[in-house]
Amino acid sequence: IIQMHRLSKVYSLGESQVHALRSVDLTIHQGEFVAIMGPSGSGKSTLMNIIGCLDQPTAGEYHLQGQRVDRMRRSELADIRAATIGFVFQGFNLLSRTSALENVEIPTQYLRRRKLTESPRSRAIEALQRVGLQDRMHHVPSQLSGGQQQRVAIARSLVNQPSLLLADEPTGNLDSTTSEEIMDVFHNLNAQGITVVMVTHEQDIAQHAKRILVVRDGIIVSDTAVVK
Amino acid sequence: IIQMHRLSKVYSLGESQVHALRSVDLTIHQGEFVAIMGPSGSGKSTLMNIIGCLDQPTAGEYHLQGQRVDRMRRSELADIRAATIGFVFQGFNLLSRTSALENVEIPTQYLRRRKLTESPRSRAIEALQRVGLQDRMHHVPSQLSGGQQQRVAIARSLVNQPSLLLADEPTGNLDSTTSEEIMDVFHNLNAQGITVVMVTHEQDIAQHAKRILVVRDGIIVSDTAVVK
Ligand SMILES: Nc1ncnc2c1ncn2[C@@H]1O[C@H](COP(=O)(O)OP(=O)(O)OP(=O)(O)O)[C@@H](O)[C@H]1O
Ligand SMILES: Nc1ncnc2c1ncn2[C@@H]1O[C@H](COP(=O)(O)OP(=O)(O)OP(=O)(O)O)[C@@H](O)[C@H]1O
Ligand SMILES: [Mg+2]
Ligand SMILES: [Mg+2]
């Protein structure tokens, strides 16, 4: 499903250049459960943003489900994201003036083909129930704890039933019990055939995946199967 | 230094009430190193905001360095915060249009008494060096990784040399090596007599403290010394 070849991302700031990703080769098949680890600033979120069609590489190729993403127009990318990808951002990216429920409903507006039979509202409520937030549906982000905001971001990523779930540090603000509940949600999705790729800095969480990639200074330095 | 008696915080949203803190009794002396743990939504950030004079309780008393904080005016609270308290927010709260260096310099403007001899700029640079961000000083938050933004927030909390450091999930976005570096910074500050109170959901990080409080449903359910 995901295929990257010699993929690079360079940020130019005035005279200096930041090589966020340097010639990354990566293949992930449908149905895999992958964890990405690595030091702060090593390129994990940059890699996730490119996988999620939110950013373009500066060199190399990226194929998603066989299509050459690095050559697509913005409107094509937007359609693919809405229909296929669920994204949990490291910084949550919730709208501050709208409730948890409204925040979770937002991706349903971008889904062109009516492939889902239930209403947007009932799908949003069900997603919030899965992350334990049914009692906080009408709170706006400033009326939610950090971990509750993180869970709203997780619920939002699930509402369009994506085939690829990308989660950047999904348990960074969650205690161990709540983190395990989120891992159960991810396991259930993966058991249904959904591809899950998550960035985490916690070894316990990474052990829930079947494969661990370690990133350092913009390259993948190790790629190992998880032994249970 | 910190004394709370029957402290409560109730949020009223329309007809419903959220009892974020229910009759908390707490004493923390100068020079302590305390970790606060507990489930998502249990009241940890609410407690930290009240300790940090960013919020007022709805019942009970809070004494900071012998003064009755729950009776002070906003200007008095602002002066105490600027002179005494360094706060690392769970959501970082960085200004998006200003660089890391400018973000770290901001608290120096609020320090009325000139108790520090070095210039604001040199203090800000030194704080960024302590968290390993000397190469990212001129980046704005959108040009920084999640863990780098978190470290800018940590550097900002140190720049006025506070006597009380409050850190809400300071390593939530940091890999284990970088987290240990931040714990070294906190240990050094604590060795100089600074009181450190941090919220964390990670047992390994909590073990760096000398005392662990566990919060559940708005009350402190356990208070134990860390055995090394
Ligand atoms: N302004 C508000 N209005 C209503 N309820 C609120 C408000 N702020 C917080 N709450 C609620 O108060 C409770 C405690 O919130 P708090 O942020 O202190 O939790 P926390 O322990 O820090 O959680 P986390 O570990 O997820 O960060 C939560 O259930 C939250 O929904
Ligand atoms: N827009 C940008 N301009 C310049 N440099 C950038 C920009 N965005 C990110 N960077 C830099 O690229 C590097 C990789 O960033 P990235 O966010 O991918 O790291 P990360 O592995 O996700 O880190 P963390 O674990 O801290 O979240 C960092 O050193 C960062 O400073
Ligand atoms: Mg990141
Ligand atoms: Mg919190």
Side-chain angles (χ1 to χ4, degrees), chain A residues 13 16 18 38-42 45 90 136 139 143 145-148 151 169 171-176 178-179 201-202, chain B residues 13 16 18 38-41 45 90 136 139 143 145-148 151 169 171-176 178-179 201-202:
Chain A
L13 294 186
S16 66
V18 176
S40 177
S42 55
S45 295
Q90 188 169 9
R136 292 286 182 270
H139 287 226
Q143 297 166 337
S145 76
Q148 289 166 346
R151 284 183 276 158
E169 294 282 0
T171 64
N173 283 284
L174 300 176
D175 58 284
S176 45
T178 314
S179 298
H201 69 264
E202 291 181 68
Chain B
L13 293 186
S16 66
V18 176
S40 175
S45 295
Q90 187 169 8
R136 292 286 182 271
H139 287 226
Q143 296 166 337
S145 76
Q148 290 167 346
R151 285 183 277 159
E169 294 282 0
T171 64
N173 282 284
L174 300 176
D175 57 284
S176 45
T178 315
S179 298
H201 69 264
E202 291 179 68

Side-chain angles (χ1 to χ4, degrees), chain B residues 34-206:
Chain B
V34 183
I36 301 176
M37 306 188 79
S40 175
S42 55
K44 306 179 297 296
S45 295
T46 303
L47 181 60
M48 292 286 273
N49 288 341
I50 290 173
I51 293 173
C53 304
L54 292 161
D55 198 7
Q56 294 274 19
T58 44
E61 304 177 12
Y62 171 36
H63 296 255
L64 176 65
Q65 295 172 330
Q67 298 180 64
R68 185 84 187 259
V69 174
D70 51 280
R71 293 259 170 87
M72 286 182 187
R73 283 164 287 150
R74 289 183 59 146
S75 54
E76 289 178 280
L77 288 173
D79 287 351
I80 286 180
R81 280 202 308 269
T84 322
I85 301 173
F87 206 115
V88 187
F89 295 92
Q90 187 169 8
F92 316 155
N93 290 7
L94 301 179
L95 296 188
S96 57
R97 284 181 230 169
T98 62
S99 70
L101 182 60
E102 290 161 335
N103 263 287
V104 174
E105 282 179 313
I106 282 167
T108 63
Q109 310 165 17
Y110 299 122
L111 200 61
R112 293 236 202 124
R113 317 171 272 120
R114 298 232 159 277
K115 65 171 183 166
L116 299 161
T117 49
E118 305 146 57
S119 73
R121 171 147 292 222
S122 59
R123 271 186 278 141
I125 291 172
E126 196 263 337
L128 283 162
Q129 284 170 340
R130 289 176 93 163
V131 299
L133 287 181
Q134 56 280 357
D135 299 335
R136 292 286 182 271
M137 285 200 287
H138 304 295
H139 287 226
V140 294
S142 61
Q143 296 166 337
L144 295 171
S145 76
Q148 290 167 346
Q149 293 173 30
Q150 187 154 38
R151 285 183 277 159
V152 174
I154 293 167
R156 181 179 61 186
S157 73
L158 306 177
V159 76
N160 280 346
Q161 292 170 19
S163 54
L164 171 61
L165 179 64
L166 302 174
D168 197 344
E169 294 282 0
T171 64
N173 282 284
L174 300 176
D175 57 284
S176 45
T177 305
T178 315
S179 298
E180 289 299 312
E181 290 166 17
I182 294 304
M183 285 302 110
D184 287 343
V185 172
F186 286 14
H187 277 296
N188 290 339
L189 294 168
N190 188 238
Q192 295 167 35
I194 293 162
T195 309
V196 180
V197 182
M198 66 180 181
V199 173
T200 181
H201 69 264
E202 291 179 68
Q203 219 15 281
D204 299 347
I205 298 298

Side-chain angles (χ1 to χ4, degrees), chain A residues 36-83:
Chain A
I36 301 176
M37 306 189 78
S40 177
S42 55
K44 307 179 296 296
S45 295
T46 303
L47 181 60
M48 292 286 274
N49 288 341
I50 291 172
I51 293 173
C53 303
L54 292 161
D55 197 7
Q56 294 275 19
T58 44
E61 306 178 10
Y62 171 37
H63 296 255
L64 177 64
Q65 295 171 330
Q67 299 179 62
R68 185 82 187 260
V69 174
D70 52 279
R71 294 259 170 87
M72 285 182 186
R73 284 164 289 150
R74 290 184 58 147
S75 54
E76 290 177 280
L77 289 173
D79 287 351
I80 286 180
R81 280 201 308 270

